[in-house]
Structure formats: C-alpha cells, structure tokens
Amino acid sequence: MKKIDYIKEINRLKKEKKAVILAHYYQRPEVQDIADYKGDSLALSRIAATTDARMIVFCGVHFMAETAKILSPDKKVLLPVKEAGCPMADMVTDMSLKKYKEENPDVTIVCYVNSTANVKALSDVCVTSGNAEKVVSQYKGKKLMYVPDKNLGTYLKEKFDLNMNVWNGFCCIHNEVTVKEVQNAKESYPDAQLIVHPECQLEIVKMADFVGSTGQLLNYVKKSNCNEFIIGTENGIIHQMKRACPNKKFYLLTDNLACYDMKLTTLKDVYDALQQEKNIIEVKDDIQENALKALEKMFEYTDN
Ligand code: 13P
Ligand code: SF4
C-alpha cells in the first residue's frame, strides 16, 4: 500500500476545502507544525471568531472546538479525535449548576472556558487563563461562583479578595504537582526561574516567579533576561519555547506533565478529519446563543 505523505496531503486538502487548522500549544510538535495558528485557548478562540475560512479543524480538546463552534456557528468545525476531552470540563455538569443556581439565585456564575457549552450557557461570563484576572477584577464586591477549576478560582479569589466560592474541579495534570517536586527542581536548577500555569495548586503558584496561561508563559520566556526556566505546565509548550529561544534552557517540572487527551491527535487524524469532513461539532441553537452571550461578555471586558 502506498504511504501517505500526511503533511503534503493536509496542506493540499486545507487549500481545496478552504480550511484553517488551529492547534493548542499542548498538541504534539508535528501537529503544531502543520497548523496555520497555534496558541492558548484565548488566542485560538479569537481566531475562531474572526477567521473567514469555511472550515475550522481544531487540534485540541472538545471544549475548545465547541467554543470555536459557539463563536462561529456558521462554520464547519471538526475535532480530529472525537474522544479528545478535558476531564476538568466534565467536573461540572449543567444539571448540578442548574441546581446550584436555583438555590443561589443572587450569585453571578463565572465560568472557565474549560467547560461544556451547556455549562457556558448557564453562566454569566466566561474567562480563560489568559484573561481571568482582567475579567474577575470587574466583579469585586459581587457574590460569585467560579466553575469548575478550584485552583485557578482560589488563586483569583485570593489575589483580588473576591466574594467568590469555587467549584471542586481540577486539572488532573496540573493539580498533581507537589511542593516536594518544586523543591527538587529548584535544587537541580538553581539558576532557573519557575514559571507555572494557574491550574496548579495555590501553594505551587506561590513558589513561582511567574504565573500565566500557556501563551503568557511563552511570551515571558521570550522577553525575560533569564536563560533557564523550570516549566510548570504541559510539555507541549516547550516545543514553541525552544523554537522561539533556541539558546535558552527549559526543564519540565515533572515528567507527569503530559495531557493524555491533548496528545491523542496525530497527523493521520488531522488528515482523516479533513478528508472525510468527520467529527463535526454541533451545538444546539439555544445553547449556542446563551453560551455566546457569556463569551461575548468576556470579550467586552478584555477587548475594551
Ligand atoms: P490555556 O488557557 O493556557 O490555553 O490553558 C488551557 C488548558 O487546558 C490548560 O490546561
Ligand atoms: Fe484539561 Fe488539564 Fe488537559 Fe488542560 S491539561 S486540557 S485542563 S486535562
């Protein structure tokens, strides 16, 4: 059987079908390399909202492709691997949030973008790790519930002294990082700065020199005068860091910082999805309309 040159074929199909390929920084290096745009969830959602492509192939996890569909409902959005999900996003269900809202009608629901469309549709405003600080600081003094990430929520609550409760969700990759592991890494690399994602637990975040979304971490290493970094987020980002700063050194905080779901997508999956136009993301009209309102509210605070 003739071997398929996936890179060549993906590039051909992309033009033929007027498709744009978006890849999150946690994707496999070869998948990031084939993408038209790579970014964190905030940057990719902005591209999804504004692209004039006919089709979006979203190399990431389900909530990201779903967010693209909410923002661009007239486009065909494909998720190359339909099973690629985010366990954290499933830690709050629309049923449980509906019940919470019934019991707490005066509480404003702030929803991390790592959530389902149904949960976004029940929320007042969305945030991503790249703009959460800017968005929640607008809600000082209000009664808030933050879903689903307890770690990012607790970080925000403490930093801005918010009247906020946090849901009990977490990222099973970032949440696992321990103080001992940080101490060991700092001992092994005494000249390196520690930079972490806010999905790590607060005690880890407090030990860091910088905290930010994946895009913010990448910008930080580009601008910093420091030459060595301990990376407290998923290993995929190191591909872009090395590319941007070939003379700097990057050490992954622990070997466990690998997101199983993010790594499911291969070049073959991207090719198959494009060729067969399969794994189309659908969002019901009423859910799309309400979820869009929560996302637009987020952009209102961050873009003005
Ligand atoms: P970003 O907002 O930095 O893209 O992070 C998304 C994510 O899933 C982190 O685990
Ligand atoms: Fe979800 Fe964590 Fe994977 Fe991000 S790294 S997609 S939060 S499981």
Side-chain angles (χ1 to χ4, degrees):
M1 210 171 70
K2 205 170 154 247
K3 227 175 140 225
I4 299 171
D5 181 340
Y6 288 122
I7 296 176
K8 195 169 149 211
E9 282 303 298
I10 290 168
N11 282 322
R12 181 183 67 76
L13 285 166
K14 201 170 71 177
K15 278 198 199 107
E16 187 184 300
K17 303 201 177 205
K18 293 193 174 49
V20 67
I21 301 180
L22 310 187
H24 190 270
Y25 288 135
Y26 293 165
Q27 291 285 292
R28 292 167 186 254
E30 65 275 20
V31 173
Q32 293 188 38
D33 290 345
I34 195 76
D36 298 292
Y37 299 96
K38 324 156 232 305
D40 62 12
S41 33
L42 177 60
L44 295 178
S45 65
R46 282 187 202 285
I47 292 160
T50 51
T51 178
D52 51 16
R54 189 181 72 84
M55 191 191 293
I56 298 172
V57 182
F58 209 117
C59 303
V61 291
H62 190 270
F63 79 81
M64 294 181 174
E66 203 176 48
T67 303
K69 182 67 183 174
I70 295 163
L71 291 166
S72 272
D74 300 332
K75 306 230 152 75
K76 195 177 256 189
V77 178
L78 311 178
L79 179 68
V81 176
K82 70 172 187 305
E83 298 79 15
C86 167
M88 183 213 281
D90 297 326
M91 290 181 189
V92 54
T93 63
D94 52 341
M95 291 275 281
S96 52
L97 185 56
K98 230 179 236 168
K99 185 164 177 283
Y100 176 86
K101 282 179 54 146
E102 275 161 23
E103 290 163 2
N104 302 275
D106 56 337
V107 174
T108 300
I109 309 294
V110 182
C111 167
Y112 194 24
V113 74
N114 295 42
S115 54
T116 63
N118 288 359
V119 163
K120 288 185 180 75
L122 291 168
S123 302
D124 296 288
V125 64
C126 279
V127 301
T128 77
S129 58
N131 62 20
E133 297 197 11
K134 212 167 173 183
V135 176
V136 297
S137 56
Q138 313 280 335
Y139 287 87
K140 276 191 94 157
K142 288 215 163 141
K143 271 197 211 170
L144 306 173
M145 167 52 93
Y146 184 86
V147 297
D149 183 17
K150 65 175 177 172
N151 291 334
L152 181 49
T154 307
Y155 166 72
L156 296 167
K157 179 185 163 91
E158 193 173 296
K159 180 155 182 180
F160 296 98
D161 190 23
L162 299 169
N163 181 6
M164 182 162 87
N165 279 320
V166 294
W167 208 260
N168 195 24
F170 55 88
C171 164
C172 34
I173 288 93
H174 291 90
N175 191 57
E176 290 302 294
V177 175
T178 64
V179 169
K180 186 85 198 119
E181 284 168 335
V182 174
Q183 286 165 343
N184 289 345
K186 284 188 170 207
E187 259 172 54
S188 303
Y189 309 111
D191 297 329
Q193 284 194 344
L194 171 70
I195 64 172
V196 307
H197 198 280
E199 288 173 12
C200 293
Q201 296 189 45
L202 189 60
E203 55 187 355
I204 306 298
V205 168
K206 283 186 173 167
M207 296 170 89
D209 296 289
F210 181 74
V211 55
S213 73
T214 46
Q216 290 166 340
L217 297 179
L218 178 60
N219 283 339
Y220 183 81
V221 303
K222 283 186 197 168
K223 290 191 183 143
S224 170
N225 293 328
C226 186
N227 286 319
E228 292 182 46
F229 301 89
I230 300 163
I231 307 301
T233 192
E234 213 272 353
N235 63 27
I237 188 68
I238 293 182
H239 180 57
Q240 294 303 328
M241 289 178 172
K242 280 187 178 161
R243 187 153 277 183
C245 310
N247 298 321
K248 296 191 178 184
K249 288 186 177 149
F250 305 102
Y251 315 109
L252 195 63
L253 177 50
T254 85
D255 289 343
N256 299 331
L257 283 163
C259 176
Y260 171 82
D261 289 84
M262 279 285 186
K263 295 295 191 274
L264 284 174
T265 308
T266 63
L267 285 179
K268 178 180 185 312
D269 297 316
V270 180
Y271 167 77
D272 287 346
L274 253 175
Q275 203 225 8
Q276 297 163 38
E277 298 192 19
K278 64 171 192 175
N279 303 341
I280 299 169
I281 299 287
E282 305 282 3
V283 180
K284 283 194 194 126
D285 289 351
D286 57 329
I287 299 291
Q288 186 272 334
E289 276 164 31
N290 286 323
L292 183 62
K293 282 183 199 154
L295 285 163
E296 282 178 343
K297 193 87 194 150
M298 167 181 94
F299 287 125
E300 198 183 300
Y301 289 132
T302 52
D303 292 359
N304 295 320

